[in-house]
mmCIF file of all heavy atoms in Angstrom:
data_model
loop_
_atom_site.group_PDB
_atom_site.id
_atom_site.type_symbol
_atom_site.label_atom_id
_atom_site.label_comp_id
_atom_site.label_asym_id
_atom_site.label_seq_id
_atom_site.Cartn_x
_atom_site.Cartn_y
_atom_site.Cartn_z
ATOM 1 N N PHE A 273 132.372 46.306 78.253
ATOM 2 C CA PHE A 273 131.625 47.416 77.633
ATOM 3 C C PHE A 273 131.472 48.546 78.629
ATOM 4 O O PHE A 273 131.796 48.384 79.820
ATOM 5 C CB PHE A 273 130.236 46.946 77.187
ATOM 6 C CG PHE A 273 129.491 46.154 78.221
ATOM 7 C CD1 PHE A 273 128.906 46.803 79.321
ATOM 8 C CD2 PHE A 273 129.335 44.789 78.110
ATOM 9 C CE1 PHE A 273 128.214 46.112 80.279
ATOM 10 C CE2 PHE A 273 128.630 44.053 79.091
ATOM 11 C CZ PHE A 273 128.091 44.730 80.173
ATOM 12 N N HIS A 274 131.031 49.705 78.163
ATOM 13 C CA HIS A 274 130.725 50.803 79.056
ATOM 14 C C HIS A 274 129.255 50.747 79.403
ATOM 15 O O HIS A 274 128.415 50.467 78.551
ATOM 16 C CB HIS A 274 131.011 52.146 78.380
ATOM 17 C CG HIS A 274 132.467 52.334 78.112
ATOM 18 N ND1 HIS A 274 133.380 52.518 79.119
ATOM 19 C CD2 HIS A 274 133.163 52.344 76.940
ATOM 20 C CE1 HIS A 274 134.587 52.629 78.590
ATOM 21 N NE2 HIS A 274 134.497 52.531 77.270
ATOM 22 N N LEU A 275 128.927 51.068 80.641
ATOM 23 C CA LEU A 275 127.522 51.124 81.029
ATOM 24 C C LEU A 275 126.826 52.240 80.248
ATOM 25 O O LEU A 275 127.425 53.288 79.985
ATOM 26 C CB LEU A 275 127.421 51.384 82.524
ATOM 27 C CG LEU A 275 127.944 50.281 83.429
ATOM 28 C CD1 LEU A 275 127.982 50.769 84.872
ATOM 29 C CD2 LEU A 275 127.109 49.024 83.305
ATOM 30 N N THR A 276 125.571 52.033 79.927
ATOM 31 C CA THR A 276 124.819 53.110 79.293
ATOM 32 C C THR A 276 124.443 54.117 80.395
ATOM 33 O O THR A 276 124.457 53.782 81.580
ATOM 34 C CB THR A 276 123.524 52.588 78.656
ATOM 35 O OG1 THR A 276 122.697 52.032 79.676
ATOM 36 C CG2 THR A 276 123.790 51.542 77.591
ATOM 37 N N GLN A 279 121.675 52.853 82.523
ATOM 38 C CA GLN A 279 122.114 51.877 83.540
ATOM 39 C C GLN A 279 122.751 52.601 84.732
ATOM 40 O O GLN A 279 122.479 52.280 85.892
ATOM 41 C CB GLN A 279 123.150 50.892 82.941
ATOM 42 C CG GLN A 279 122.495 49.817 82.069
ATOM 43 C CD GLN A 279 123.527 49.002 81.297
ATOM 44 O OE1 GLN A 279 124.501 49.554 80.748
ATOM 45 N NE2 GLN A 279 123.341 47.690 81.238
ATOM 46 N N VAL A 304 113.666 43.977 76.846
ATOM 47 C CA VAL A 304 114.625 42.874 76.761
ATOM 48 C C VAL A 304 115.942 43.362 76.135
ATOM 49 O O VAL A 304 115.916 44.109 75.164
ATOM 50 C CB VAL A 304 114.081 41.691 75.907
ATOM 51 C CG1 VAL A 304 113.125 40.870 76.714
ATOM 52 C CG2 VAL A 304 113.436 42.167 74.629
ATOM 53 N N GLY A 305 117.041 42.941 76.723
ATOM 54 C CA GLY A 305 118.338 43.265 76.166
ATOM 55 C C GLY A 305 118.914 44.592 76.629
ATOM 56 O O GLY A 305 120.020 44.952 76.200
ATOM 57 N N CYS A 306 118.219 45.349 77.471
ATOM 58 C CA CYS A 306 118.744 46.656 77.874
ATOM 59 C C CYS A 306 119.841 46.509 78.914
ATOM 60 O O CYS A 306 120.527 47.472 79.239
ATOM 61 C CB CYS A 306 117.625 47.548 78.399
ATOM 62 S SG CYS A 306 117.018 47.018 80.006
ATOM 63 N N GLY A 307 120.052 45.302 79.453
ATOM 64 C CA GLY A 307 121.151 45.092 80.391
ATOM 65 C C GLY A 307 120.752 45.278 81.847
ATOM 66 O O GLY A 307 121.394 46.030 82.582
ATOM 67 N N LYS A 308 119.712 44.577 82.254
ATOM 68 C CA LYS A 308 119.303 44.687 83.648
ATOM 69 C C LYS A 308 120.191 43.850 84.562
ATOM 70 O O LYS A 308 120.441 44.210 85.695
ATOM 71 C CB LYS A 308 117.842 44.217 83.800
ATOM 72 C CG LYS A 308 116.842 45.112 83.076
ATOM 73 C CD LYS A 308 115.415 44.666 83.296
ATOM 74 C CE LYS A 308 115.020 43.431 82.528
ATOM 75 N NZ LYS A 308 114.960 43.600 81.071
ATOM 76 N N THR A 309 120.681 42.709 84.025
ATOM 77 C CA THR A 309 121.413 41.777 84.875
ATOM 78 C C THR A 309 122.653 42.412 85.493
ATOM 79 O O THR A 309 122.925 42.243 86.678
ATOM 80 C CB THR A 309 121.826 40.523 84.061
ATOM 81 O OG1 THR A 309 120.725 40.157 83.249
ATOM 82 C CG2 THR A 309 122.195 39.399 84.988
ATOM 83 N N PRO A 450 122.029 49.230 74.840
ATOM 84 C CA PRO A 450 123.437 49.429 74.574
ATOM 85 C C PRO A 450 123.641 49.920 73.143
ATOM 86 O O PRO A 450 122.892 49.539 72.247
ATOM 87 C CB PRO A 450 124.047 48.035 74.773
ATOM 88 C CG PRO A 450 123.152 47.394 75.750
ATOM 89 C CD PRO A 450 121.776 47.916 75.438
ATOM 90 N N ARG A 453 123.783 47.935 69.432
ATOM 91 C CA ARG A 453 122.717 47.012 69.001
ATOM 92 C C ARG A 453 122.144 47.372 67.644
ATOM 93 O O ARG A 453 121.885 48.540 67.351
ATOM 94 C CB ARG A 453 121.562 47.034 70.007
ATOM 95 C CG ARG A 453 121.911 46.530 71.365
ATOM 96 C CD ARG A 453 122.239 45.056 71.325
ATOM 97 N NE ARG A 453 123.013 44.658 72.471
ATOM 98 C CZ ARG A 453 122.527 44.496 73.680
ATOM 99 N NH1 ARG A 453 121.258 44.681 73.896
ATOM 100 N NH2 ARG A 453 123.302 44.133 74.676
ATOM 101 N N ASP A 555 120.980 34.403 77.398
ATOM 102 C CA ASP A 555 121.810 35.443 76.841
ATOM 103 C C ASP A 555 123.027 34.846 76.134
ATOM 104 O O ASP A 555 124.013 34.480 76.747
ATOM 105 C CB ASP A 555 122.268 36.388 77.965
ATOM 106 C CG ASP A 555 123.113 37.511 77.445
ATOM 107 O OD1 ASP A 555 122.840 37.989 76.316
ATOM 108 O OD2 ASP A 555 124.068 37.902 78.139
ATOM 109 N N ARG A 584 121.611 40.548 70.622
ATOM 110 C CA ARG A 584 122.256 40.907 71.876
ATOM 111 C C ARG A 584 123.725 41.193 71.705
ATOM 112 O O ARG A 584 124.425 41.497 72.658
ATOM 113 C CB ARG A 584 122.092 39.765 72.885
ATOM 114 C CG ARG A 584 120.630 39.553 73.183
ATOM 115 C CD ARG A 584 120.451 38.547 74.274
ATOM 116 N NE ARG A 584 119.266 38.955 74.995
ATOM 117 C CZ ARG A 584 119.193 39.259 76.277
ATOM 118 N NH1 ARG A 584 120.258 39.179 77.024
ATOM 119 N NH2 ARG A 584 118.080 39.643 76.799
HETATM 120 P P1 ADP B 701 117.970 42.007 79.988
HETATM 121 O O1 ADP B 701 117.757 43.416 80.394
HETATM 122 O O2 ADP B 701 117.070 41.552 78.897
HETATM 123 O O3 ADP B 701 117.974 41.064 81.157
HETATM 124 P P2 ADP B 701 120.735 41.326 79.921
HETATM 125 O O4 ADP B 701 121.037 41.870 81.249
HETATM 126 O O5 ADP B 701 120.607 39.861 79.762
HETATM 127 O O6 ADP B 701 119.431 42.003 79.356
HETATM 128 O O7 ADP B 701 121.804 41.945 78.907
HETATM 129 C C1 ADP B 701 121.789 41.642 77.539
HETATM 130 C C2 ADP B 701 123.190 41.607 76.968
HETATM 131 O O8 ADP B 701 123.724 42.927 76.870
HETATM 132 C C3 ADP B 701 124.181 40.840 77.787
HETATM 133 O O9 ADP B 701 125.005 40.116 76.915
HETATM 134 C C4 ADP B 701 124.990 41.905 78.508
HETATM 135 O O10 ADP B 701 126.281 41.451 78.781
HETATM 136 C C5 ADP B 701 124.999 42.980 77.444
HETATM 137 N N1 ADP B 701 125.141 44.330 77.995
HETATM 138 C C6 ADP B 701 124.621 44.819 79.155
HETATM 139 N N2 ADP B 701 124.910 46.125 79.310
HETATM 140 C C7 ADP B 701 125.612 46.484 78.220
HETATM 141 C C8 ADP B 701 126.206 47.711 77.768
HETATM 142 N N3 ADP B 701 126.117 48.833 78.506
HETATM 143 N N4 ADP B 701 126.855 47.717 76.595
HETATM 144 C C9 ADP B 701 126.941 46.598 75.846
HETATM 145 N N5 ADP B 701 126.402 45.404 76.200
HETATM 146 C C10 ADP B 701 125.750 45.354 77.365
#
Side-chain angles (χ1 to χ4, degrees):
F273 48 74
H274 294 291
L275 295 171
T276 62
Q279 283 170 317
V304 281
C306 72
K308 294 183 285 293
T309 318
R453 296 293 159 77
D555 181 36
R584 297 187 148 239

